[in-house]
């Protein structure tokens, strides 16, 4: 324990750099997957069959081992953060797409019917009714995706993407337990912190529709 | 105001049309009730009017214009819409819900705020208590009022109401129906009202359109439908107690009471003498007695006394019970109820200023529904 604290003290700068790297990589991937996930999730609400197929495919992607998914992109995107980001995007799509879809389709159809019957345009219905009402569920999906992304980001070190995973892989190779622990610990701290912050935002979105 | 000409609706891939050769004309300021069993096409007909469901044949005119030439959004913004499930926006306050259409029409803020207050007053919801609440804090009846207020907010000339009170308990429903009739008397909208409940149709409708298998089988006033059903289907729909339903169609002030009303003025002995002579010469079953200012005092149940009965007049007069006083705008159905619950032979028809304008007996009630039929 003492040696772990000493290690952290000694490697402070490197830990900070790796954490920032990790966060940047996950953030980039999630920014993209959130935007595409919301768009896909929204569009598939217009066709039940397409929705079923899309969610099925997203579910299939999740069953691929993450390591394999990252490696799969190396021939196309080379080594470094790029294949990792591509893998993370695909991986985190499911919770976002699914929750956006469920969020919108679980809105009471009478509400949409009334809105349409009163003369609200499709755009107004989307902006003023569908999005706000689907927000808590959609946001819960995004939160899951973010936490998942931070955890998976640790494996991205395998494709030389940097991040906190580097400590873990190097630690294993060198038999340095402290290094492994530091990698795991800071990944966890990052995930838990972000999760707690997002929980606060989620409560706000829930209050809005209550 | 609304005219359907040979309108039909066929869903692609289905041989049988949902609506066939429908002709219907709804006059301005009238409530037209579309009534029929589920699946008869009444809701489809209503939704074709605001283009929620496109019609596939014939022409629909709203305010003289063929609706296929009007943009759907524009058409709908000028037609109030109330559905059974109400469909209030759960994330909006009551105030914001009511303001939906005015906001879509981009009214000025102050105008919207004033209108919301006016609407809440109209449907009797206290502004200070409810304006800032969310729909889930309201009871079913209150939510339905908000639904009505929201539909009326932009003052559309036309309202479409799809089983608007169907989800309410019977007591709340009767209350809100009465209230709506009162509101309509003031605002005079052209209303298309869908229900499967013939009693509601009779109560709410100026006209009733009975639909069966996508066709209009009878169109007329509630009286017409109840007294002259065109076929067996309509007859079954209105039921065998349709004579009873007619009681709720007529207001007390519309009938001619047969019983005598005796106004007492002058000296006591003089009054008794006059009543006695009146009694002898008349064949009225009951005689109502009112004072100088036409306030009811009591009545004499004449049928109880044989000729030659020695009971003094003073003892023959029965005091009037509070339950026997009925507002002249109440229906005969209410009068019937009062008769039964008072166990008396007559009720006093009153103006709202407390003037008695006649007394109504059971015989009058029967006569009224018979004559009107």
């Amino acid at each position: 324990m003492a040696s772990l604290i000493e290690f952290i003290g000694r490697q402070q700068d490197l830990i900070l750099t790796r954490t920032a790297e990790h966060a940047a990589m996950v953030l980039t991937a999630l920014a993209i997957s959130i935007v595409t996930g919301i768009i896909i999730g929204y569009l598939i609400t217009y066709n039940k069959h397409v929705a079923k197929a899309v969610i099925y495919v997203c579910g299939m992607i999740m069953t691929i081992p993450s390591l394999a998914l990252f490696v799969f992109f190396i021939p196309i995107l080379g080594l470094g953060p790029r294949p990792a980001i591509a893998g993370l995007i695909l991986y985190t799509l499911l919770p976002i797409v699914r929750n956006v879809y469920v969020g919108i389709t679980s809105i009471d159809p009478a509400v949409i019917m009334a809105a349409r019957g009163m003369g609200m345009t499709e755009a107004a219905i989307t902006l003023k009714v569908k999005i706000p009402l689907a927000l808590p569920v959609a946001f819960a999906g995004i939160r899951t995706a973010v936490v998942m992304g931070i955890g998976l980001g640790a494996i991205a070190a395998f494709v030389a993407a940097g991040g906190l995973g580097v400590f873990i892989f190097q630690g294993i190779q060198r038999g340095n337990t402290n290094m492994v622990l530091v990698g795991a610990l800071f990944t966890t701290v990052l995930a838990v912190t972000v999760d707690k912050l997002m929980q606060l935002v989620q409560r706000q979105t829930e209050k809005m529709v209550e | 105001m609304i005219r359907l000409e040979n309108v039909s609706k066929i869903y692609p891939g289905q041989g049988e049309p949902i609506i066939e050769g429908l002709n219907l004309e709804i006059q301005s300021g009238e409530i037209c009730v579309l009534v029929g069993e589920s699946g008869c096409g009444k809701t489809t007909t209503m939704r074709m009017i605001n283009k929620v469901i496109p019609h596939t044949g014939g022409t629909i005119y709203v305010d003289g214009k063929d609706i296929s030439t009007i943009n759907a959004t524009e058409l709908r913004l000028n037609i109030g819409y109330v559905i059974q499930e109400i469909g209030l926006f759960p994330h909006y306050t009551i105030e914001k819900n009511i303001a939906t259409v005015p906001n879509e029409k981009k009214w000025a803020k102050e105008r919207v705020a004033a209108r919301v207050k006016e609407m809440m007053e109209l449907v009797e919801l206290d502004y200070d208590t409810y304006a800032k609440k969310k729909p889930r804090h309201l009871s079913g009846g209150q939510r339905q009022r908000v639904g009505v207020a929201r539909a009326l907010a932009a003052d559309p000339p036309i309202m479409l109401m799809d089983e608007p009170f169907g989800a309410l308990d019977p007591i709340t429903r009767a209350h809100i129906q009465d209230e709506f009739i009162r509101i309509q008397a003031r605002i005079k909208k052209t209303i298309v009202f869908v229900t499967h409940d013939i009693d509601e149709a009779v109560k709410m409708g100026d006209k009733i359109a009975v639909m069966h298998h996508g066709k209009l089988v009878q169109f007329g006033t509630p009286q017409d439908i109840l007294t002259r059903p065109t076929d067996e289907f309509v007859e079954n729909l209105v039921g065998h107690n349709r004579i009873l339903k007619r009681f709720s169609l007529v207001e007390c002030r519309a009938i001619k009471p047969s019983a005598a009303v005796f106004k007492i003025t002058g000296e006591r002995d003089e009054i008794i003498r006059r009543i006695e002579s009146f009694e002898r010469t008349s064949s009225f079953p009951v005689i109502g007695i009112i004072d100088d200012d036409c306030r009811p005092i009591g009545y004499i149940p004449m049928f109880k006394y044989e000729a030659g009965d020695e009971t003094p007049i003073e003892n023959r007069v029965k005091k009037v019970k509070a339950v026997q006083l009925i507002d002249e705008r109440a229906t005969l159905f209410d009068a019937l109820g009062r008769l039964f619950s008072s166990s008396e032979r007559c009720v006093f028809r009153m103006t709202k200023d407390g003037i008695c304008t006649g007394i109504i007996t059971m015989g009058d009630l029967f006569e009224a529904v018979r004559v009107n039929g």
Side-chain angles (χ1 to χ4, degrees), chain A residues 110-111 113-121 124 128-129 132-133 207-210, chain B residues 47 50 52 73 76-77 81 83 85 87-92 100 104 134 136 150:
Chain A
V111 172
M113 185 65 194
R116 195 165 288 146
M118 284 190 299
M120 287 175 84
T121 59
K128 295 180 186 170
V129 182
L133 286 180
K207 268 191 199 143
M208 272 167 53
V209 295
E210 258 178 9
Chain B
R47 290 185 177 170
N50 66 353
V52 167
T73 301
R76 290 174 195 161
L77 284 176
Y81 193 48
I83 55 177
E85 308 85 348
L88 293 182
F89 300 139
H91 57 306
Y92 278 9
T100 307
E104 286 299 305
K134 297 274 178 77
R136 74 192 164 95
R150 182 173 69 169

Side-chain angles (χ1 to χ4, degrees), chain B residues 90-294:
Chain B
H91 57 306
Y92 278 9
T93 58
I94 298 311
E95 185 173 41
K96 214 172 163 196
N97 262 291
I98 296 174
T100 307
V101 181
N103 281 337
E104 286 299 305
K105 286 186 145 190
K106 314 239 181 311
W107 285 15
K109 249 193 186 133
E110 304 76 39
R111 190 176 167 207
V112 175
R115 184 67 182 167
V116 168
K117 275 195 178 156
E118 194 187 333
M119 284 300 104
M120 289 188 69
E121 218 165 90
L122 184 74
V123 298
E124 288 178 355
L125 278 175
D126 183 49
Y127 181 84
D128 295 326
T129 317
Y130 296 109
K132 305 286 179 211
K133 290 221 162 92
K134 297 274 178 77
R136 74 192 164 95
H137 296 292
L138 271 60
S139 71
Q142 290 170 330
R143 279 203 288 265
Q144 196 50 273
R145 280 160 212 248
V146 176
V148 172
R150 182 173 69 169
L152 284 168
D155 206 15
I158 296 171
M159 296 251 287
L160 304 182
M161 307 179 79
D162 191 355
E163 306 233 6
F165 312 134
L168 303 173
D169 66 88
I171 295 168
T172 311
R173 190 209 299 208
H175 184 71
I176 206 165
Q177 283 170 341
D178 292 339
E179 223 171 80
F180 188 74
I181 291 170
R182 180 181 57 75
I183 292 172
Q184 164 67 357
R186 190 136 53 107
I187 58 179
K188 300 248 183 309
K189 301 288 178 195
T190 307
I191 297 172
V192 182
F193 191 110
V194 163
T195 182
H196 63 269
D197 176 359
I198 185 71
D199 292 319
E200 186 170 55
V202 168
K203 185 172 178 183
M204 305 301 292
D206 294 309
K207 295 278 174 58
I208 295 177
V210 182
M211 294 187 65
H212 187 46
H213 291 325
K215 286 188 182 127
L216 184 67
V217 288
Q218 188 169 2
F219 182 60
T221 63
Q223 282 288 354
D224 288 339
I225 307 283
L226 291 177
T227 51
R228 288 181 292 275
T230 47
D231 62 8
E232 212 176 321
F233 174 76
V234 182
E235 210 174 311
N236 285 331
L237 185 77
V238 298
H240 295 293
N241 57 353
R242 62 178 203 256
I243 187 92
L244 286 177
K245 289 179 181 123
R246 298 224 306 273
F247 278 116
S248 50
L249 286 177
V250 184
E251 287 184 4
C252 287
R253 59 178 164 185
I255 69 168
K256 202 172 165 298
S258 62
V261 179
F262 200 89
K263 194 183 225 174
I264 50 169
T265 42
E267 289 295 312
R268 178 192 149 82
D269 290 345
E270 164 74 6
I271 293 164
I272 290 175
R273 200 182 47 72
R274 277 175 47 215
I275 293 178
E276 263 169 353
S277 70
F278 187 71
E279 262 190 327
R280 269 195 299 277
T281 54
S282 70
S283 59
F284 295 112
V286 294
I287 297 174
I289 298 174
I290 58 177
D291 71 8
D292 248 354
D293 301 323
C294 296

Side-chain angles (χ1 to χ4, degrees), chain B residues 48-67:
Chain B
M48 288 192 301
I49 296 171
N50 66 353
K51 285 174 103 169
V52 167
I53 296 175
H55 61 287
T56 48
T59 319
I60 300 174
Y61 298 95
V62 168
D63 209 7
K65 269 182 265 173
D66 179 351
I67 61 162

Side-chain angles (χ1 to χ4, degrees), chain B residues 34-48:
Chain B
L34 304 178
V35 68
E37 297 162 325
S38 51
C40 71
K42 53 191 193 297
T43 296
T44 306
T45 304
M46 163 179 281
R47 290 185 177 170
M48 288 192 301

